[in-house]
Amino acid sequence: MAEKNKNEMVVTPWEVRGKVDYERLIRDFGTQPLTEELLQRIRKHTGELHLQLRRGLFFSHRDLDVVLDLYEKGTKFVLYTGRGPSGPVHIGHLIPWIFTKHLQDKFKTRLYFQMTDDEKFLVKDELKLDEAKNFGYENALDLIALGLKPENTFIIFDVNDIDLLYDIALEVAKRITYSTARATFGFQESTNIGWIFWPAIQAVPCFIHAKLTGENVPALIPAAIDQDPYWRVTRDVAQKLGYYKPAQIHCRFLPGLGVGGKMSASELETSIFVIDPPDVVKRKIWNAFTGGKATVEEQRKLGGDPEVCTVFQYFTFLFEKDDKKLAERRMKCKKGEILCGECKTELTEGVNKFLIEHRKKREKAKNIIEKFHIKR
Ligand code: TYM
């Protein structure tokens, strides 16, 4: 929110820019690194580790060890994640949702998914409330298309479901001072008062399971690390309200296709949206920033740099499931045996195949979306 130096790393729930230093975020936010020991504990329950864990895409946590301790002693947990529906979903948003589905399948647990149409209405000057609600419906189809279980997935549409949230939101809001909220979220004199209250609403699904079922269990939140400020304030009030502190598992950002920065809905040309037709996907990928050299000769001689290449990142995050093939691609790139054009062509094919399938499933989701509403 505040004016910052252009190259400085900024990671807030509303803005991510600059080169993201994940080690520093762990220190600055006071989270814990996801250690090999914890990964082995997860493996005991899930079998082979999910690609996003094997490849270090989830890298940090709060209280995951506590959740596993409780689970191993017989206390289940619920999952909680969400979306601020300000436009169509991009591939970056799908990353934590795909992982959430994996956890739901393996641990057979309930997911609360919050669609924050109210947040986006308050935060985005130009967005009308009806538009945010409508994006909420559209984005829910994208979530459902990933195959989440209707009997175990509850989508909370904030504006329509506010009656379920309001009492807990009040309990939370009463215990967070303005000075804490300002220090955590960077609120300014010009921030509207709806926005200032709003973080209390994002806290509610951490605790809603107890209200709906009478069962007090912890919530585990898979999300990218930009959402962490919400959990800092929520964790501070949880025990005062008689609940477990919500636990988190944080992922890195799928980068945009340009130089630096995450895939972000406001950067149209460097983000791939689920609604992008094949020719648009192709154009965006062909313009992507890669680790390639200026000429073919140079690349053949010196090799490319997959570590800085956005195209390689897309294979790593989602589009190359086979670890061996990913390692081969890295090696061939470094040795100059494969050129950027080849990687771009293969990625374009992979992304378009994925999106065509996704859109078919999203159409079918229209027939079952009612099953995901919370019944009163
Ligand atoms: P939103 O809509 O900004 O983001 C939705 C989810 O996507 C993650 N994300 C990304 N993950 C990987 N790579 C990226 N480039 C990328 N960009 C965004 C976000 O971390 C988030 O998990 N206020 C929230 C909505 C919300 C929520 C929650 C999110 C409500 N309750 C609980 C997570 C957990 C928002 O506007 O998310």
Side-chain angles (χ1 to χ4, degrees):
M1 230 172 288
E3 270 303 307
K4 297 255 166 65
N5 170 335
K6 254 187 124 194
N7 299 320
E8 192 187 346
M9 172 174 81
V10 176
V11 177
T12 76
W14 305 288
E15 187 183 16
V16 176
R17 69 180 153 78
K19 184 167 165 29
V20 183
D21 177 343
Y22 290 100
E23 301 284 311
R24 202 183 114 196
L25 284 180
I26 289 181
R27 284 196 309 275
D28 290 359
F29 286 3
T31 67
Q32 303 296 315
L34 201 53
T35 58
E36 190 51 37
E37 187 199 332
L38 261 176
L39 292 179
Q40 294 314 325
R41 276 186 80 186
I42 298 173
R43 190 204 299 269
K44 272 204 323 222
H45 300 288
T46 63
E48 193 197 3
L49 284 177
H50 190 266
L51 170 160
Q52 296 187 14
L53 291 175
R54 292 200 307 273
R55 297 183 184 169
L57 304 180
F58 275 84
F59 71 103
S60 149
H61 77 101
R62 289 179 191 272
D63 280 359
L64 179 62
D65 47 342
V66 175
V67 166
L68 289 173
D69 287 345
L70 286 162
Y71 184 78
E72 285 161 10
K73 289 186 193 130
T75 303
K76 286 200 97 172
F77 60 89
V78 293
L79 293 163
Y80 163 37
T81 196
R83 159 77 179 141
S86 55
V89 160
H90 61 56
I91 295 178
H93 298 129
L94 300 181
I95 299 299
W97 302 352
I98 289 170
F99 183 63
T100 302
K101 177 190 181 301
H102 163 78
L103 292 179
Q104 182 182 67
D105 288 346
K106 295 292 175 182
F107 288 94
K108 309 219 168 357
T109 126
R110 189 181 271 214
L111 164 67
Y112 293 98
F113 188 98
Q114 186 177 35
M115 200 57 85
T116 61
D117 41 14
D118 50 351
E119 175 195 19
K120 291 295 151 172
F121 168 68
L122 290 167
V123 167
K124 299 256 168 196
D125 283 342
E126 69 293 357
L127 190 70
K128 300 199 172 65
L129 191 52
D130 276 350
E131 290 169 343
K133 286 171 75 173
N134 193 44
F135 282 131
Y137 169 79
E138 293 291 329
N139 293 180
L141 299 177
D142 290 303
L143 176 77
I144 295 168
L146 299 177
L148 288 143
K149 305 259 177 311
E151 64 280 12
N152 238 356
T153 306
F154 296 77
I155 305 180
I156 301 164
F157 295 90
D158 278 357
V159 173
N160 285 346
D161 291 326
I162 192 65
D163 57 325
L164 287 176
L165 310 180
Y166 197 50
D167 51 357
I168 303 178
L170 289 174
E171 296 286 352
V172 170
K174 194 171 183 177
R175 290 165 177 84
I176 301 173
T177 64
Y178 176 58
S179 109
T180 299
R182 193 183 47 195
T184 309
F185 298 104
F187 294 139
Q188 309 277 295
E189 290 291 311
S190 56
T191 307
N192 71 61
I193 59 172
W195 191 349
I196 291 166
F197 169 78
W198 197 81
I201 305 267
Q202 182 149 328
V204 176
C206 298
F207 311 131
I208 202 166
H209 186 71
K211 172 174 168 172
L212 295 178
T213 66
E215 208 183 23
N216 193 5
V217 298
L220 173 64
I221 306 169
I225 196 155
D226 58 333
Q227 299 297 310
D228 191 70
Y230 285 112
W231 319 130
R232 296 206 283 274
V233 290
T234 308
R235 285 168 59 84
D236 278 351
V237 301
Q239 285 173 327
K240 295 180 197 153
L241 296 175
Y243 301 114
Y244 288 100
K245 287 186 180 188
Q248 288 84 49
I249 177 160
H250 303 112
C251 69
R252 296 169 196 267
F253 302 107
L254 178 73
L257 291 161
V259 185
K262 71 156 191 156
M263 182 169 283
S264 159
S266 53
E267 307 283 334
L268 299 183
E269 271 309 302
T270 55
S271 299
I272 298 175
F273 295 91
V274 294
I275 55 168
D276 281 346
D279 55 326
V280 172
V281 170
K282 184 172 174 189
R283 185 187 72 228
K284 289 180 177 176
I285 293 179
W286 274 88
N287 290 332
F289 172 73
T290 70
K293 296 285 185 295
T295 64
V296 171
E297 293 70 41
E298 248 185 278
Q299 173 122 357
R300 290 269 182 232
K301 207 164 120 204
L302 302 170
D305 183 355
E307 311 318 323
V308 301
C309 176
T310 58
V311 171
F312 188 74
Q313 291 292 312
Y314 282 66
F315 284 116
T316 308
F317 271 75
L318 186 59
F319 295 102
E320 179 53 84
K321 305 270 184 299
D322 184 329
D323 291 348
K324 245 176 82 189
K325 287 194 183 153
L326 187 72
E328 265 169 35
R329 187 181 294 277
R330 172 185 271 120
M331 195 200 60
K332 282 187 176 168
C333 170
K334 282 182 164 172
K335 289 187 175 168
E337 290 172 11
I338 188 169
L339 299 177
C340 298
E342 295 168 64
C343 282
K344 285 178 173 175
T345 304
E346 285 173 41
L347 183 65
T348 304
E349 275 167 21
V351 172
N352 277 330
K353 196 165 156 229
F354 173 86
L355 290 183
I356 288 165
E357 272 311 300
H358 178 82
R359 286 193 285 259
K360 282 188 200 151
K361 293 181 195 152
R362 167 177 212 292
E363 272 311 298
K364 291 196 184 136
K366 291 181 181 166
N367 303 324
I368 54 168
I369 189 168
E370 294 297 322
K371 295 187 183 170
F372 292 81
H373 286 264
I374 297 186
K375 308 275 177 314
R376 329 289 220 286

